[in-house]
């Protein structure tokens, strides 16, 4: 029987993450990505002419390709499972329940629903259950990671166009309920918010994170996966292990044999 390495050696690996760079898009309520060199080559030179450069960065936990921990949203003062927020949070320590460091490395079956197969969706498009079903090319199983392509990733290098004053295509509450009824582990998309926006109540986030215990992954790059017609794959994603955090950057991969 082939070893795991032998099984994976010939797999095609798709990088589903977006790059981080100064001026990159971010949701207005979250801080931007900040980066710069703290030491340039030549600032310090060793006896053999050797030199090194170094850098520093700062970013919000919901900037770039990232995963939402279940503690990211509450409703009526309660987290998923009915846990009362009071006493579970502090500015210095974060959340004591469902924080992102409790999310195990994700190795699961993935499914792509290419809703933008004939072109990117318009900014006012609310994705419906009927559209999800029409885009489904393979079965969805319990525990899957389901990713929705809207085509919005094409705008990622233009922060103003990508954020679009938060006017974005995405699933409505009915579509979110369709996804949760499949028993999935996580849902994601190529937009800055996994939700038809703007909507102050954020019903999709509340339904998935609070009511259903389903993680959300945002700012994915699904273009290459869709271009190759991939509908089913092995999803790998490892969030940064930040204690108490409501989310974290993640570098997601899709492996296809």
């Amino acid at each position: 029987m082939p070893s795991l390495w032998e099984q994976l050696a010939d797999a095609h690996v798709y990088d589903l993450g977006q790059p981080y760079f100064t001026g990159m898009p971010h949701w207005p309520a979250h801080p931007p990505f900040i980066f710069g060199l703290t030491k340039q080559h030549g600032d310090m030179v060793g006896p053999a002419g050797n030199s090194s450069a170094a850098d520093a960065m700062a970013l919000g936990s919901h900037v770039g390709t990232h995963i939402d921990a279940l503690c990211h949203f509450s409703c009526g003062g309660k987290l998923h499972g009915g846990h009362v927020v009071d006493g579970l949070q502090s500015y210095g320590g974060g959340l004591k329940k469902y924080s992102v460091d409790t999310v195990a490395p994700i190795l699961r079956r993935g499914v792509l629903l290419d809703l933008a197969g004939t072109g990117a969706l318009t900014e006012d498009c609310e994705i419906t259950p009927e559209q999800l079903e029409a885009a489904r090319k393979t079965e969805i199983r319990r525990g899957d990671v389901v990713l929705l392509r809207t085509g919005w990733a094409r705008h990622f290098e233009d922060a103003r166009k990508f954020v679009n004053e938060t006017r974005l295509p995405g699933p409505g509450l009915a579509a979110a309920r369709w996804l949760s009824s499949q028993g999935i582990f996580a849902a994601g998309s190529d937009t800055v918010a996994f939700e038809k926006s703007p909507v102050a109540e954020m019903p999709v986030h509340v339904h998935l994170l609070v009511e259903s215990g389903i993680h959300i992954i945002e700012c994915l790059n699904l273009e290459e996966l869709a271009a190759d017609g991939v509908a089913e794959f092995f999803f790998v994603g490892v969030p940064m292990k930040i204690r108490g955090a409501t989310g974290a950057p993640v570098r997601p991969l899709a492996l296809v044999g």
Side-chain angles (χ1 to χ4, degrees):
M1 181 175 179
S3 66
L4 179 60
W5 165 247
E6 290 171 325
Q7 294 178 58
L8 295 176
D10 296 325
H12 186 97
V13 180
Y14 295 86
D15 186 345
L16 307 183
Q18 292 282 15
Y20 284 82
F21 56 91
T22 301
M24 66 180 287
H26 64 95
W27 188 260
H30 297 297
F33 175 73
I34 301 172
F35 168 86
L37 289 178
T38 58
K39 184 163 76 94
Q40 296 183 344
H41 289 290
D43 287 350
M44 296 179 64
V45 180
N50 51 296
S51 183
S52 66
D55 35 45
M57 59 183 174
L59 71 160
S61 60
H62 297 272
V63 175
T65 306
H66 68 277
I67 187 169
D68 290 350
L70 298 185
C71 66
H72 180 39
F73 262 69
S74 66
C75 190
K78 295 180 180 180
L79 301 173
H80 174 63
H83 297 278
V84 178
V85 172
D86 289 345
L88 292 179
Q89 62 181 350
S90 66
Y91 285 112
L95 272 293
K96 297 178 182 178
K97 191 74 178 176
Y98 298 129
S99 56
V100 78
D101 56 302
T102 66
V103 181
I106 306 167
L107 294 91
R108 292 177 177 265
R109 180 175 178 268
V111 173
L112 176 67
L113 303 184
D114 185 7
L115 295 141
T118 58
L121 304 185
T122 59
E123 65 179 30
D124 58 353
C125 177
E126 178 177 323
I127 297 169
T128 65
E130 292 75 20
Q131 288 174 294
L132 295 177
E133 185 60 52
R136 184 176 63 84
K137 304 303 181 187
T138 186
E139 66 176 329
I140 296 175
R141 305 171 190 166
R142 294 191 65 82
D144 282 353
V145 174
V146 178
L147 308 180
L148 314 185
R149 175 179 175 257
T150 70
W152 216 249
R154 300 169 183 173
H155 307 315
F156 191 80
E157 295 292 329
D158 184 338
R160 186 180 296 275
K161 194 170 185 178
F162 185 77
V163 178
N164 195 39
E165 297 181 339
T166 72
R167 299 191 302 271
L168 304 166
L173 181 57
R177 287 174 172 161
W178 185 91
L179 288 166
S180 66
S181 71
Q182 313 294 319
I184 63 176
F185 174 81
S189 74
D190 50 7
T191 58
V192 71
F194 187 78
E195 184 134 17
K196 171 28 171 97
S197 300
V199 55
E201 297 82 2
M202 301 291 282
V204 170
H205 277 67
V206 170
H207 176 68
L208 293 179
L209 295 170
V210 182
E211 298 173 359
S212 306
I214 294 172
H215 294 280
I216 293 173
I217 306 171
E218 292 163 326
C219 290
L220 290 157
N221 186 350
L222 305 172
E223 295 303 292
E224 186 182 1
L225 203 63
D228 288 350
V230 177
E232 180 182 16
F233 48 91
F234 183 55
F235 180 90
V236 179
V238 184
M240 288 182 66
K241 205 168 186 176
I242 308 171
R243 187 172 297 167
T246 63
V250 62
R251 183 75 177 269
L253 306 173
L255 280 64
V256 178

